[in-house]
């Protein structure tokens, strides 16, 4: 189906040449398998990899020095102690809390009436649903769908004509006109700057490998414990006073209050609008 639809827009000469072609007119083509040789960088990476594996295989674990691990215990600071104390006090107050001190409360369920706008919206939705459910499908008129197949414009025809001519010229191309060419593989030598950089890197690696640890001096680390400033002490003091005041608060000083539930009646305007909506 798709081939028949595309035949009117194709080149008649190309279609004729394709239909007259026979298997005897085809030429045998031999595919050349190219195996490119590895570059200098690939050879260097392969050599480095082999040397690394060889060094790992011949490594003697007896050359390693025994080291003992020192475990250091860091003392907590003032903030950590204050947080731990606050947490301990909080857990203690929870564990020592008695349920007898709680007052029974009767929950009141409130039913909010819908407003005029909500009632009107729900009424409109119900009318719309009833109109859709009671719609008579016999009132619809039958229609016929017309399928349009637009013809291509002159630019599309010209472009397809050029493509057909190009394919025809490629198919009739004479390979004997091609000239034999020899591919030359060029391996450019590194510049003076690259040689100097590589030389500096090699010298740096040699210096690191030949470094003597005996030339290092023994140093003793000093642990500094910075004391808090006056602002931090004042803030910590205020926080401690606030915590003490909260923990020592007397509940008997509280006054008993009674909650009054207010249910505002609708105004005359709201009643009139709701009545008009019904």
């Amino acid at each position: 189906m798709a081939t028949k639809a595309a035949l009117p827009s194709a080149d008649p000469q190309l279609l004729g040449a394709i239909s007259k072609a026979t298997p005897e007119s085809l030429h045998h083509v031999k595919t050349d398998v190219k195996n490119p040789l590895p570059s200098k960088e690939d050879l260097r990476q392969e050599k480095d990899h082999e040397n690394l594996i060889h060094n790992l295989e011949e490594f003697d674990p007896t050359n390693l020095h025994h080291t003992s691990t020192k475990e250091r215990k860091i003392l907590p600071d003032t903030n950590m102690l204050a947080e731990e104390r606050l947490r301990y006090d909080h857990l203690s107050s929870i564990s020592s809390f008695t349920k007898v001190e709680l007052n029974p409360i009767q929950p009141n369920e409130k039913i909010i009436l819908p407003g005029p706008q909500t009632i009107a919206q729900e009424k409109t939705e119900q009318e719309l649903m009833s109109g859709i459910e009671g719609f008579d499908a016999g009132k619809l008129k039958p229609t016929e769908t017309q399928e349009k197949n637009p013809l291509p414009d002159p630019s599309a025809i010209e472009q397809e004509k050029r493509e057909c001519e190009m394919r025809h010229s490629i198919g009739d191309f004479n390979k004997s006109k091609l000239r034999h060419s020899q591919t030359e593989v060029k391996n450019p030598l590194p510049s003076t700057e690259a040689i100097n950089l590589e030389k500096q890197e090699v010298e740096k690696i040699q210096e690191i490998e030949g470094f003597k640890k005996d030339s290092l001096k023994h140093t003793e680390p000093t642990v500094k414990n910075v004391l808090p400033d006056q602002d931090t002490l004042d803030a910590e003091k205020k926080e401690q006073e606030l915590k003490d005041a909260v923990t020592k608060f007397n509940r008997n000083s509280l006054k008993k209050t009674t909650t009054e539930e207010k249910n505002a009646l609708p105004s005359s305007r709201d009643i009139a609008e709701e009545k008009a909506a019904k």
Side-chain angles (χ1 to χ4, degrees):
M1 297 293 291
T3 307
K4 292 182 179 180
L7 286 176
S9 61
D11 189 6
Q13 296 180 359
L14 180 60
L15 295 176
I18 294 173
S19 60
K20 293 178 181 180
T22 58
E24 290 79 6
S25 61
L26 299 176
H27 299 283
H28 180 71
V29 178
K30 185 178 180 181
T31 306
D32 296 334
V33 180
K34 296 183 179 180
N35 188 10
L37 296 176
S39 61
K40 184 179 179 181
E41 183 68 21
D42 297 336
L43 293 175
R44 187 179 65 81
Q45 291 180 0
E46 185 70 22
K47 188 176 180 181
D48 294 341
H49 182 66
E50 291 178 357
N51 293 334
L52 179 62
I53 294 175
H54 181 70
N55 293 333
L56 292 175
E57 292 176 352
E58 296 183 354
F59 180 74
D60 188 8
T62 57
N63 296 331
L64 297 175
H65 297 284
H66 179 71
T67 58
S68 57
T69 306
K70 295 181 180 180
E71 184 178 356
R72 295 183 178 180
K73 296 182 179 180
I74 302 175
L75 297 177
D77 54 0
T78 310
N79 296 329
M80 294 177 64
L81 293 174
E83 292 178 359
E84 188 68 21
R85 183 177 179 183
L86 178 62
R87 181 173 175 273
Y88 178 76
D89 295 341
H90 182 63
L91 294 175
S92 301
S93 61
I94 293 174
S95 59
S96 60
F97 182 76
T98 57
K99 298 181 181 179
V100 183
E101 300 178 2
L102 296 176
N103 298 325
I105 297 175
Q106 187 67 25
N108 297 325
E109 185 177 356
K110 296 182 180 180
I111 301 176
I112 302 174
L113 297 175
Q117 185 178 0
T118 307
I119 295 173
Q121 184 177 0
E122 187 174 355
K123 186 177 180 181
T124 305
E125 291 179 358
Q126 292 179 356
E127 292 177 355
L128 181 61
M129 293 296 295
S130 60
I132 294 173
E133 293 175 354
F135 181 73
D136 187 10
K139 296 181 181 180
L140 297 175
K141 298 180 180 179
T143 58
E144 295 181 0
T145 305
Q146 296 180 358
E147 184 178 355
K148 295 183 179 181
N149 188 9
L151 297 175
D153 52 0
S155 60
I157 296 173
E158 186 66 25
Q159 183 179 0
E160 190 172 356
K161 186 177 180 181
R162 288 197 300 268
E163 291 180 359
C164 292
E165 291 177 355
M166 184 175 62
R167 293 174 184 174
H168 185 69
S169 61
I170 293 172
D172 296 341
F173 182 73
N174 188 7
K175 297 181 181 180
S176 59
K177 296 180 180 180
L178 296 175
R179 296 180 182 179
H180 181 72
S181 60
Q182 188 69 26
T183 305
E184 295 181 1
V185 180
K186 294 183 178 181
N187 189 8
L189 297 176
S191 61
T192 307
E193 184 178 358
I195 294 173
N196 293 332
L197 290 174
E198 188 172 358
K199 186 177 180 182
Q200 292 176 1
E201 186 176 357
V202 171
E203 292 177 354
K204 187 182 296 184
I205 293 173
Q206 290 178 355
E207 291 178 359
I208 294 172
E209 292 177 351
F211 181 76
K212 295 181 179 180
K213 298 181 180 180
D214 300 335
S215 60
L216 295 175
K217 297 180 180 180
H218 180 72
T219 57
E220 188 69 25
T222 304
V223 180
K224 294 183 179 180
N225 189 6
V226 182
L227 296 177
D229 53 1
Q230 188 63 31
D231 296 336
T232 308
L233 293 174
D234 295 340
E236 188 174 353
K237 186 177 180 181
K238 291 180 181 179
E239 184 179 358
Q240 188 63 33
E241 292 175 355
L242 180 61
K243 292 177 183 178
D244 295 339
V246 172
T247 53
K248 296 178 182 179
F249 180 74
N250 187 10
R251 298 179 183 178
N252 298 325
S253 62
L254 295 175
K255 296 181 180 179
K256 186 177 180 181
T257 58
T258 305
T259 305
E260 295 181 0
E261 182 180 353
K262 294 184 179 180
N263 190 3
L265 297 175
S267 61
S268 57
R269 182 178 179 183
D270 295 337
I271 296 173
E273 290 180 356
E274 187 174 357
K275 188 175 181 181
K278 294 181 179 180

